[in-house]
Amino acid sequence: MLLIRVLSPNIHFFYGTYQLTKAQPQHKPSSAINHNFNHYYHPDDPDWHWLEDAKDPKVSDFLLAANAQHAEWFRPLEPLAEKLYEGHLARRELAVTGLETALDHFTFWTVTDADQDYPCWWRYPNGQPEQRECFFNLPERAAQHEFFDIGDMALPADEQWLAWTEDTQGDERFSLWIKRLPKGSAHCLLKDIGPGLCWAEDQTDTGATLLFTRFDATQRPDSVWRLPLAFDQDTATALPEALVYREADPEFWVGVGKTRSRQWLLIESASKDTSEVLLLAAEAPDSPLDCLHPRQPGVEASIEHRPGFFYRLHNQQSAHFQLDVIEESRISQADAWQTLIEHNNDTTLEGVDAFSWGLVIAERDHQQAQVYLRRLVLDQQHKATVDERLALPETPCSQLLEDAPHFDTTQLRLREESFTQLPRWVELDLATLERRVIKTQPLHGDLQPEHLISQRIWATSHDGEKVPVSIVMRADLAGQALPTLLYGYGAYGEPLDPWFSIARLELLSRGIAFAVAHVRGGGERGEPWYLDGKMANKENSFHDFLAARNALVSEGVSLADRILACGASAGGLLVGTCLNRAPQAFCGAVLDVPFVDVLRTMQNPELPLTTAEYSEWGNPADASVAERIQGYSPIDNIAPRHYPAIWIEGSWFDTRVSYWEPAKYYARLRQCQQGEAPIMLHTDMSSGHGGASGRFKAWREAARQDAFILWALGRTETE
């Protein structure tokens, strides 16, 4: 769903000698910078709310002054950051060729040159690779902008036109473009729309229909629109667009997609805990909508289709979800749904993909905190002839179904990785169950997967609940207590399943352990795990994170005085709250675009995302909810105390966590800091919630952050 106020969990992380320093170097900002900071304080505004006025030139002055303080403090670490950056590049294959994917007429893939931030898209007619041609040059388009991000790309049935959305500021407001393939000129059709696109299946020689979403005043995708296009030889002309559906409830967002069978367009309107699904015939996008799943408070559902049948994954009977089926001819009969897979208290059904031969279901095992892909082969009477889980290469790991555009394919592409194994792509032949590795991400250097070890421990939280904690480190250091980076998220039911990071090797090689606390509020142990860490249960997330920290120490994994906490977006809320409650538990912290002004943000329904998130945090219009949120909101619980070293990142164009949240958090922390550890803020003045759009800039920023992490953990290289 688009409802998530999150940054995807992507931790930015020499294999050589190192030493444990006895004390952190005392980098202190100059008195001039301190003087400037005091100059910005308004006695009549102790909460620094004036920073919320982006039009006030003093706001950008304040952020630039904080950036200058950050740069001055960081200057002694610049050589280390450069070494980390160069080490990361040396490990990575910079020239990348993507997997080829054959559609109906052409085979498509990407090529990223070694010195480029973005890929070029290539194609050839199926079976004719000698006719390869580049049809979309993203480096060329991105060169015109300081920030550049593609929202979506879509091809119509004949694959001769490319429509895409792009964001050139970072505020997640997109423009719609189209071009004739391969060499046609790009034309902008619309501005200020949502990122997603979907072609109907009504293409003729003279035109076709695109569907897209628009925002309301709070940047909530509230409507789906139909855009007819008229084609001539080289250009596409937009005809007047028509409203397909508008959602009036401010807690609901809308999106549009298409079934793999290509027969139906699906319009979903959903809050975080309730959804409604409407149908539109793909070949007749101007036909009336049918409601296949009407909204019921607290009931979530997703829909898939095979000719003759619809499938509904829903939680009406149980939080663990079950799968129902209905004959296509009976969709108007609400009582005609039949249970295909009953709910199971030990697993959560997370997703379903339909093919001509049956279904692939994502099923999460609660006890193992592990997702399995389950294959269900159905006969003509709709009985299961095969019902089995696909084999995993190891546990825990991540196994995902990659793009499978053909409804009748019997060759599934799987993406597999773990904390110690690089991503690889496997082709699974469903007829023979033969697995063939078709691509593995390469890795250079002397720290290879066989030099790493991963383990999982279980922390006991305040109420006796067992919290999984994943750990990865160098195998030769196993059994030693190590400086540790502890990462957490714990919101929106988003799981932190195992992922490999080449950047992370720069920390592991220097004797750092990397740990993930799978706290409640996330989805690692299924839907109940999520529900037990949201709304009135949010306190469990904070208890779990601190319990994970303590377990790392008691199990001999981590040095008690060398644990650094890290969280992004809603993970910044997790870390910020734990810093207020147990600042002595950590030697440092990194908070990326942190959601830290929770109460004030949730009290402002005019901000993007706020109304859609009442079902995640609660609506503070209720005094008891406001009191509960205020009890943990990081910025509302800052007090004079010794805080550890804290690195805070913000983004000027961020529409998910407004730039002023990290800015106000920084200002109030600096006022209350009783110790000597630095509190620093860096605001990227040219990006949004996801940070830098180009890969080299993102890697360089990650290296700077990693240099701070190494400094805070007491690791310096031996020359």
Side-chain angles (χ1 to χ4, degrees):
M1 292 301 300
L2 297 173
L3 307 175
I4 301 172
R5 190 195 298 268
V6 308
L7 184 68
S8 298
N10 181 18
I11 306 303
H12 315 301
F13 300 111
F14 207 83
Y15 197 40
T17 58
Y18 56 84
Q19 64 182 13
L20 183 62
T21 59
K22 294 181 179 180
Q24 297 169 348
Q26 295 301 302
H27 297 175
K28 296 181 181 179
S30 71
S31 58
I33 293 176
N34 279 325
H35 174 74
N36 288 339
F37 177 81
N38 294 331
H39 170 73
Y40 288 109
Y41 177 66
H42 297 180
D44 60 341
D45 184 12
D47 296 324
W48 296 78
H49 294 326
W50 69 271
L51 287 171
E52 297 177 8
D53 184 5
K55 296 179 181 179
D56 184 347
K58 290 185 178 180
V59 171
S60 57
D61 288 347
F62 173 84
L63 297 178
L64 293 174
N67 283 356
Q69 178 234 342
H70 178 281
E72 180 176 314
W73 181 92
F74 190 79
R75 190 171 295 113
L77 292 178
E78 288 285 3
L80 175 58
E82 184 64 23
K83 185 170 288 188
L84 291 168
Y85 175 70
E86 294 296 337
H88 177 191
L89 297 188
R91 297 183 190 277
R92 181 180 291 277
E93 191 80 14
L94 295 176
V96 180
T97 299
L99 286 175
E100 295 185 359
T101 299
L103 301 185
D104 289 346
H105 306 288
F106 289 85
T107 296
F108 296 84
W109 74 101
T110 60
V111 176
T112 307
D113 290 341
D115 60 346
Q116 292 294 332
D117 278 310
Y118 305 91
C120 289
W121 278 87
W122 289 73
R123 72 172 191 176
Y124 59 76
N126 288 342
Q128 303 176 58
E130 69 281 0
Q131 296 188 30
R132 64 198 306 266
E133 58 189 358
C134 176
F135 65 89
F136 194 33
N137 189 318
L138 285 181
E140 188 176 272
R141 293 196 66 79
Q144 307 170 43
H145 309 282
E146 190 169 356
F147 180 94
F148 182 81
D149 187 33
I150 292 290
D152 200 5
M153 296 169 57
L155 296 161
D158 70 354
E159 301 167 21
Q160 294 290 2
W161 296 86
L162 177 69
W164 73 94
T165 53
E166 62 184 38
D167 171 14
T168 57
Q169 186 160 276
D171 60 358
E172 300 183 61
R173 293 184 178 274
F174 292 81
S175 297
L176 169 61
W177 292 76
I178 195 167
K179 65 173 289 187
R180 174 84 179 195
L181 299 185
K183 301 297 183 182
S185 299
H187 299 280
C188 183
L189 300 178
L190 296 170
K191 294 184 178 181
D192 199 16
I193 67 170
L197 297 173
C198 184
W199 288 97
E201 292 292 314
D202 64 340
Q203 185 177 9
T204 66
D205 291 340
T206 59
T209 302
L210 262 177
L211 288 95
F212 65 94
T213 60
R214 276 202 170 103
F215 302 121
D216 68 3
T218 66
Q219 207 168 341
R220 172 181 68 100
D222 74 326
S223 55
V224 175
W225 294 76
R226 183 175 64 246
L227 180 66
L229 297 172
F231 297 153
D232 61 23
Q233 184 64 28
D234 295 310
T235 61
T237 303
L239 303 178
E241 65 261 33
L243 178 66
V244 177
Y245 177 80
R246 187 183 299 278
E247 175 56 64
D249 191 323
E251 294 191 33
F252 282 68
W253 288 19
V254 299
V256 60
K258 185 164 51 180
T259 62
R260 186 176 280 105
S261 66
R262 301 189 188 180
Q263 294 184 9
W264 295 95
L265 301 169
L266 300 177
I267 295 176
E268 182 182 35
S269 183
S271 69
K272 195 61 187 74
D273 64 1
T274 303
S275 59
E276 181 171 74
V277 183
L278 303 113
L279 295 175
L280 190 61
E283 293 183 351
D286 56 351
S287 60
L289 289 169
D290 286 322
C291 185
L292 183 58
H293 173 77
R295 70 188 65 183
Q296 304 172 56
V299 176
E300 299 176 75
S302 59
I303 298 294
E304 260 288 17
H305 174 259
R306 294 172 67 233
F309 299 95
F310 283 100
Y311 302 87
R312 179 180 63 176
L313 198 63
H314 69 93
N315 62 346
Q316 186 169 4
Q317 274 70 43
S318 167
H320 311 290
F321 286 78
Q322 71 180 45
L323 184 64
D324 293 348
V325 61
I326 192 172
E327 293 181 18
E328 193 169 333
S329 60
R330 304 179 67 189
I331 60 173
S332 62
Q333 304 171 32
D335 60 352
W337 288 97
Q338 300 293 316
T339 300
L340 186 61
I341 299 178
E342 295 183 350
H343 64 83
N344 183 330
N345 290 336
D346 296 325
T347 61
T348 293
L349 302 181
E350 293 189 337
V352 58
D353 283 272
F355 296 88
S356 59
W357 44 263
L359 308 171
V360 174
I361 299 159
E363 181 177 54
R364 183 173 295 272
D365 186 293
H366 297 167
Q367 298 306 311
Q368 298 180 48
Q370 172 67 56
V371 171
Y372 292 87
L373 295 181
R374 181 174 171 183
R375 179 174 68 121
L376 202 66
V377 178
L378 302 170
D379 64 16
Q380 293 183 350
Q381 286 72 44
H382 217 76
K383 301 298 182 182
T385 60
V386 175
D387 185 356
E388 63 183 6
R389 286 178 171 178
L390 302 185
L392 293 174
E394 62 179 294
T395 57
C397 75
S398 296
Q399 185 185 70
L400 303 174
L401 182 65
E402 283 283 90
D403 289 342
H406 293 292
F407 184 60
D408 59 355
T409 185
T410 58
Q411 306 284 331
L412 297 183
R413 284 185 175 180
L414 309 175
R415 186 180 191 273
E416 300 173 343
E417 66 181 309
S418 72
F419 286 117
T420 60
Q421 292 297 323
L422 288 124
R424 66 176 183 180
W425 289 260
V426 176
E427 188 172 76
L428 176 65
D429 188 325
L430 295 179
T432 64
L433 296 185
E434 179 183 352
R435 293 165 51 91
R436 181 173 66 93
V437 177
I438 54 178
K439 180 179 173 63
T440 299
Q441 183 175 344
L443 177 65
H444 303 293
D446 52 3
L447 187 58
Q448 292 293 316
E450 59 267 25
H451 301 137
L452 305 177
I453 188 171
S454 177
Q455 65 183 103
R456 176 172 284 174
I457 63 174
W458 295 82
T460 302
S461 197
H462 69 294
D463 56 356
E465 183 63 78
K466 298 296 185 181
V467 180
V469 185
S470 298
I471 308 151
V472 61
M473 66 185 73
R474 277 172 39 190
D476 63 320
L477 298 179
Q480 302 179 38
L482 301 175
T484 301
L485 172 58
L486 176 61
Y487 182 72
Y489 187 70
Y492 306 101
E494 287 294 304
L496 296 180
D497 289 326
W499 76 101
F500 192 90
S501 167
I502 293 179
R504 186 193 300 147
L505 298 177
E506 292 302 305
L507 297 183
L508 301 185
S509 68
R510 290 166 169 83
I512 305 301
F514 175 74
V516 179
H518 302 286
V519 305
R520 280 172 283 186
E524 289 89 340
R525 298 188 68 186
E527 190 72 4
W529 198 247
Y530 165 50
L531 298 176
D532 210 21
K534 66 177 289 193
M535 299 289 280
N537 297 321
K538 188 59 193 171
E539 287 289 336
N540 288 333
S541 301
F542 315 128
H543 287 294
D544 290 356
F545 192 74
L546 292 174
R549 181 265 177 209
N550 293 336
L552 288 168
V553 175
S554 63
E555 293 286 334
V557 174
S558 304
L559 292 166
D561 61 345
R562 297 299 170 98
I563 301 177
L564 182 141
C566 181
S569 198
L573 159 61
L574 175 71
V575 171
T577 300
C578 291
L579 288 175
N580 285 331
R581 296 183 179 183
Q584 74 287 349
F586 304 100
C587 67
V590 171
L591 295 91
D592 277 326
V593 288
F595 181 35
V596 285
D597 200 2
V598 187
L599 179 59
R600 185 169 174 84
T601 294
M602 295 308 298
Q603 287 175 329
N604 187 350
E606 295 183 1
L607 289 175
L609 301 179
T610 292
T611 56
E613 297 199 351
Y614 287 151
S615 57
E616 180 72 25
W617 313 105
N619 186 344
D622 182 329
S624 64
V625 173
E627 182 180 6
R628 184 183 76 231
I629 295 175
Q630 189 171 36
Y632 65 74
S633 176
I635 208 168
D636 293 301
N637 291 277
I638 295 172
R641 55 171 64 97
H642 285 72
Y643 284 98
I646 300 178
W647 175 293
I648 307 162
E649 294 276 359
S651 291
W652 179 248
F653 291 107
D654 195 339
T655 57
R656 297 178 182 241
V657 176
S658 301
Y659 72 86
W660 61 75
E661 291 204 36
K664 290 161 62 177
Y665 180 65
Y666 157 78
R668 295 181 67 177
L669 277 174
R670 282 203 58 179
Q671 285 181 304
C672 291
Q673 173 65 298
Q674 298 293 292
E676 295 295 324
I679 309 292
M680 291 177 292
L681 168 71
H682 176 261
T683 304
D684 190 327
M685 303 301 289
S686 63
S687 69
H689 194 66
S693 57
R695 60 177 182 162
F696 287 100
K697 182 181 177 182
W699 293 338
R700 188 172 289 281
E701 291 178 355
R704 292 174 62 82
Q705 191 176 102
D706 287 349
F708 168 80
I709 291 170
L710 287 168
W711 170 82
L713 289 174
R715 288 295 193 193
T716 58
E717 290 186 63
T718 299
E719 298 298 336

